Amino acid sequence: YRDDDLAHASRFVTRSFRVPHPEDDQAGFVAALERLGPKLEGSPLFPASDETLVAVARHRESLGRWYRVAAPGDEVARRIIQKEHTYALAEQIGVPAPRTALLASETDLERLRDAFPFPCIAKPSQSHRYQELFGRKMVRCETVDQLVAAYREAAAEGLAMMLQELIPGDDRQGANYNSYRHSGTSPVEFTAAKVRLTPRSFGPPSVVVSRPIPEIVEPARRLLDALGYEGYSCTEFKRDARDGTYKLMEVNGRFNLSSLLMLRCGVNFPAMAYRHLLLGEAPPAAEAQEGVHWIDGTKDIAYGLGELVRRPAGIGAFIQPYRAPHVFAVLDGGDLRPFALRYQHLAGRGVSRLRSLVSRSRPANT
């Protein structure tokens, strides 16, 4: 449904279908899935983005006529997609999280800004919509003017924003808890630490490493219990540099590119979900290999160039994940077409941006 989708290019894909964008035309997207139902009856349906998760969860019952739907129900999906509900639940059950307030109007900004010292975060309620519109996950605000500008920018697009406490700490303080829950338990769990984000501080990860992080296991289990969550999820935390406490960032109810890290470490969550949905097999326990890096090379190269300009002596630390056992987000020597398609789209976007810059720099005709 997007021009830069790339999974369909894989040599392992036997059929692909172009469908309406689930955010722009949810009814059309669901109708397309229902039309395909007789051809794909009994197949598992895995949402792989927040927008598909929203649509599939909302229509889970009707789609369940044809598919084995690997998505939570609508209420659970809304509580993790609309982040204010996630934070409210965390506060209710005592899971540490950054102080957060939903902004209903600019009046709320005036009322709340003194309770959130600068720097603070202006964060969207629904991050996937904001990311698609503005190309970023949130805004760090140093002044009232920046905060107001971020709120107005989002409000103009009809997006709800939250005011959130900034959790101090560098990129390496982020952590992920991944699990497959079945009948209220988590027989399979996997934790990993973020190494680099691109852009720095507030971007998505470009390097992640597998390692035990026991501090996040209990609060993640408690949150998923309270949600009544079943199936695969990834719960993100950040370690607060002030007191060492891991604080909740968000819950992702879907597979994503970094699922390849778990697969490389011997924990095949997608296969577990497939066999559970189709064969009724409970997920077996699995032991993960530690010290394996997942690298999104496209983003990480952009990070590295900036780092080497700032700190040329840091080249050793930068390349260390490439020397260690690792897996790439997209690049696979046995299946190169998704990688080629990704770079084709990136090159196209780069050319478009360059043309736009050149056009703006030219003097207007008089």
Side-chain angles (χ1 to χ4, degrees), residues 30-344:
V30 172
L33 289 179
E34 290 180 333
R35 283 195 300 272
L36 292 169
K39 298 178 183 178
L40 304 174
E41 186 171 4
S43 298
L45 184 62
F46 291 102
S49 64
D50 283 348
E51 53 264 33
T52 53
L53 176 63
V54 169
V56 169
R58 185 167 296 165
H59 299 273
R60 191 170 186 263
E61 185 174 343
S62 62
L63 292 171
R65 175 188 174 191
W66 303 109
Y67 304 96
R68 307 290 180 89
V69 180
D74 186 37
E75 181 180 353
V76 174
R78 282 190 288 107
R79 294 178 85 181
I80 62 176
I81 291 292
Q82 297 176 6
K83 302 296 189 285
E84 68 272 19
H85 298 309
T86 315
Y87 294 123
L89 178 61
E91 182 179 12
Q92 179 184 334
I93 64 175
V95 170
R99 196 152 38 93
T100 306
L102 184 66
L103 300 172
S105 67
E106 284 195 44
T107 303
D108 287 339
L109 282 177
E110 295 293 327
R111 179 174 57 85
L112 292 167
R113 71 185 189 190
D114 291 337
F116 288 78
F118 291 102
C120 60
I121 302 297
K123 188 172 183 176
S125 168
Q126 298 188 48
S127 57
H128 67 286
R129 296 182 61 196
Y130 188 85
Q131 176 82 31
E132 190 158 327
L133 283 169
F134 302 113
R136 58 180 184 267
K137 296 178 70 174
M138 63 195 77
V139 180
R140 176 186 170 122
C141 299
E142 305 281 352
T143 65
V144 173
D145 288 346
Q146 290 177 348
L147 183 58
V148 171
Y151 172 81
R152 288 176 176 172
E153 179 184 53
E157 298 292 341
L159 300 182
M161 292 293 281
M162 300 177 293
L163 183 57
Q164 189 172 84
E165 168 192 19
L166 174 67
I167 303 300
D170 63 26
D171 291 0
R172 295 168 295 175
Q173 306 311 309
N176 293 343
Y177 166 87
N178 304 269
S179 72
Y180 193 90
R181 291 182 62 78
H182 168 53
S183 300
T185 63
S186 302
V188 188
E189 300 172 305
F190 177 94
T191 57
K194 296 177 182 178
V195 177
R196 293 195 283 261
L197 309 179
T198 305
R200 293 170 58 89
S201 300
F202 302 114
S206 54
V207 179
V208 178
V209 63
S210 61
R211 69 174 176 85
I213 310 174
E215 302 97 316
I216 67 175
V217 172
E218 189 280 330
R221 287 175 181 168
R222 189 151 32 107
L223 183 68
L224 295 172
D225 279 344
L227 284 165
Y229 195 94
E230 294 278 302
Y232 172 79
S233 64
C234 172
T235 306
E236 299 186 27
F237 294 85
K238 183 177 180 182
R239 184 178 179 274
D240 192 328
R242 297 169 295 190
D243 60 10
T245 302
Y246 279 95
K247 296 187 174 176
L248 175 70
M249 293 290 107
E250 63 181 350
V251 179
N252 298 294
R254 55 179 174 78
F255 292 110
N256 55 28
L257 282 177
S258 62
S259 300
L260 286 170
L261 173 62
M262 294 157 258
L263 180 60
R264 172 66 172 76
C265 293
V267 183
N268 193 336
F269 280 116
M272 291 176 192
Y274 182 92
R275 297 182 70 83
H276 184 215
L277 286 168
L278 268 68
L279 305 177
E281 295 182 4
E287 187 172 342
Q289 182 181 351
E290 299 177 27
V292 178
H293 290 77
W294 171 89
I295 305 169
D296 189 335
T298 308
K299 294 174 181 158
D300 200 46
I301 290 171
Y303 177 103
L305 292 174
E307 277 294 285
L308 294 179
V309 169
R310 293 172 60 248
R311 294 188 307 157
I315 182 66
F318 176 75
I319 65 174
Q320 188 275 331
Y322 295 83
R323 291 175 168 170
H326 65 270
V327 63
F328 288 110
V330 178
L331 178 61
D332 182 341
D335 190 22
L336 287 171
R337 285 181 292 186
F339 175 80
L341 186 60
R342 191 184 204 196
Y343 277 85
Q344 178 184 330

